[in-house]
Amino acid sequence: MAQRDYYDILGVPRDADKKTLKDAYHRLAMKWHPDRNKAPDAEDRFKEIAKAYAVLSDPKKRARYDATGEEGVAHFTSDDLFRDVDLGSIFGDFGFGFGPGGDSVFDRFFAGRRRAAGGEDLTIRLEVPLERIAEGGKEDVHFSRQLPCATCHGYGTRSGTPAPPCPACGGTGHRVSASERNEQEGRSFRIQQITVCSDCQGRGAQPGEPCPTCGGRGQTAKMETLKVSIPRGIEDGMVLRVAGHGHPGQAGKPAGDLLLQVVAAPDPRFQRRGADLWRGVTLDVVDAVLGTELNIPTLDGEAQVTVPAGTQPDDILRLRGKGLPRFGDSGHGDLKLRIAVHLPETLSSGERQLYEKLKQARRRS
């Protein structure tokens, strides 16, 4: 079944609140649950409805879906999707939903996806500039992955066809010796020795001339570039999954997925901590004592900051709302300035006289 928009699946507007989502889900799940509805497509419809509700009822998953569509939530397993869904309250009214041993209806209907095997996933670290995290949008991803060799079509042979099975072992890769009869404590049993086939070295196929392109591996590395949607405010460590762009599967099975572990790219101006940005600011001792005005870089230009008189080392000045968007929520973090005070190591004669006068004045006060 072709994937439809999750809001359309539930028949709700894009600004639907939690109650609207839950009511729509109750109504549709009652209608399409396969234990009640025997239509041929009931199970597919129920899975579609359940997945749409699981994503839209979770603020963070919903924000990711709104930003990136199906691609942004494709990496979630059924356990990820339904971990925080209150199954007891949702299905308690239906009289069904949990099978023997407490398995949820989702375990039953989504188990096929978990059993599906294919190529290995490819995980890479993706450094994203702070400006892209702040705005969201497309980011180019460059990566290398293994693909079936174009010369031998993945078989690893010069002929480009499967190697014939080893005649010595019948393609099993091992040999079984003749059985020997043994008796022990009145019981009779047979012993057979299984050894690696010496003719094919356990490969199960006749040794053939390897493919000159891949050296017999059946795969070659290839550089690829993809444009990936970065959700606005995505947090460090979150993983974006791009289906079908991992390593190839074998025996006709699908390729694995590309997993992008997102982290903020190093930025000389700021350090990221969640939605907040931090920056160190060093003041001259006179400015710390008397106060001053500073122009501070932010993600959207410069901002003027007033440093109050008597500012102390390690004081924090806060620029509210000048951090990153809060992922899955409204509002922004702050830009926080940690103050350091520079003390002069040497003084001119004039400066020393001024400090001496200040010292005397403070003693008299």
Side-chain angles (χ1 to χ4, degrees):
M1 180 180 294
Q3 180 64 50
R4 296 188 291 136
D5 180 81
Y6 288 175
Y7 294 95
D8 291 342
I9 290 171
L10 296 181
V12 297
R14 301 193 77 82
D15 59 352
D17 58 19
K18 288 186 177 180
K19 184 178 185 305
T20 302
L21 289 169
K22 190 171 183 178
D23 289 346
Y25 178 64
H26 264 268
R27 174 175 50 82
L28 292 170
M30 284 285 287
K31 177 180 178 180
W32 290 103
H33 195 288
D35 288 353
R36 290 187 160 199
N37 191 322
K38 301 306 179 183
D41 63 339
E43 183 173 321
D44 287 337
R45 291 294 296 274
F46 180 78
K47 287 193 288 188
E48 183 182 56
I49 293 162
K51 184 175 181 181
Y53 177 74
V55 171
L56 298 184
S57 62
D58 183 285
K60 288 191 175 182
K61 293 185 180 74
R62 183 174 181 175
R64 180 176 292 185
Y65 177 75
D66 288 343
T68 64
E70 171 71 10
E71 179 181 291
V73 296
H75 70 283
F76 289 119
T77 65
S78 60
D79 291 336
D80 295 330
L81 284 174
F82 303 112
R83 180 178 294 113
D84 299 322
V85 178
D86 189 353
L87 297 175
S89 65
I90 291 176
F91 284 101
D93 299 337
F94 295 171
F96 49 69
F98 292 90
D103 292 336
S104 76
V105 68
F106 303 111
D107 292 328
R108 176 155 51 107
F109 292 138
F110 287 90
R113 177 174 178 176
R114 290 199 297 270
R115 288 195 301 267
E120 293 183 1
D121 292 339
L122 171 62
T123 302
I124 63 173
R125 176 185 171 97
L126 178 62
E127 294 187 347
V128 181
L130 289 174
E131 285 80 4
R132 175 64 68 214
I133 294 174
E135 300 169 3
K138 299 289 186 180
E139 190 76 12
D140 285 337
V141 180
H142 308 282
F143 63 101
S144 174
R145 67 167 174 151
Q146 296 293 322
L147 291 175
C149 175
T151 301
C152 67
H153 311 295
Y155 292 114
T157 60
R158 177 179 285 275
S159 64
T161 59
C166 172
C169 63
T172 64
H174 60 265
R175 292 186 183 183
V176 181
S177 66
S179 61
E180 298 178 3
R181 189 177 186 84
N182 282 265
E183 292 188 8
Q184 192 175 59
E185 297 181 356
R187 289 177 295 177
S188 177
F189 55 92
R190 294 182 180 276
I191 297 176
Q192 291 181 321
Q193 185 177 10
I194 301 176
T195 58
V196 174
C197 177
S198 59
D199 285 29
C200 68
Q201 304 301 316
R203 292 189 299 269
Q206 293 184 27
E209 192 172 357
C211 170
T213 302
C214 66
R217 295 185 302 275
Q219 299 178 356
T220 56
K222 181 183 178 183
M223 287 297 300
E224 292 192 2
T225 299
L226 290 176
K227 282 191 177 295
V228 177
S229 294
I230 304 298
R232 189 167 176 264
I234 188 170
E235 297 173 357
D236 279 0
M238 283 187 171
V239 176
L240 301 177
R241 182 182 294 262
V242 184
H245 284 272
H247 295 305
Q250 295 181 350
K253 292 182 178 179
D257 297 337
L258 173 64
L259 306 181
L260 303 173
Q261 186 176 36
V262 176
V263 294
D267 191 304
R269 302 167 298 172
F270 312 109
Q271 287 185 331
R272 181 186 189 182
R273 297 181 188 173
D276 292 333
L277 297 176
W278 286 75
R279 178 181 173 87
V281 175
T282 301
L283 299 177
D284 185 271
V285 64
V286 176
D287 289 331
V289 172
L290 300 179
T292 187
E293 298 285 336
L294 298 176
N295 288 323
I296 299 296
T298 71
L299 290 177
D300 54 2
E302 287 194 340
Q304 191 172 66
V305 178
T306 298
V307 179
T311 294
Q312 300 295 309
D314 288 332
D315 277 357
I316 305 297
L317 302 183
R318 184 192 307 265
L319 280 69
R320 295 192 180 276
K322 291 297 184 179
L324 294 167
R326 299 188 185 280
F327 182 77
D329 200 353
S330 59
H332 286 66
D334 301 328
L335 172 57
K336 298 179 179 180
L337 308 176
R338 184 181 296 278
I339 300 300
V341 177
H342 174 70
L343 300 177
E345 297 179 2
T346 58
L347 297 173
S348 67
S349 58
E351 289 172 332
R352 176 169 292 279
Q353 290 176 8
L354 290 173
Y355 275 105
E356 291 290 349
K357 290 181 180 179
L358 175 62
K359 181 178 179 180
Q360 294 172 9
R362 290 185 64 81
R363 284 179 174 176
R364 291 195 295 267
S365 62

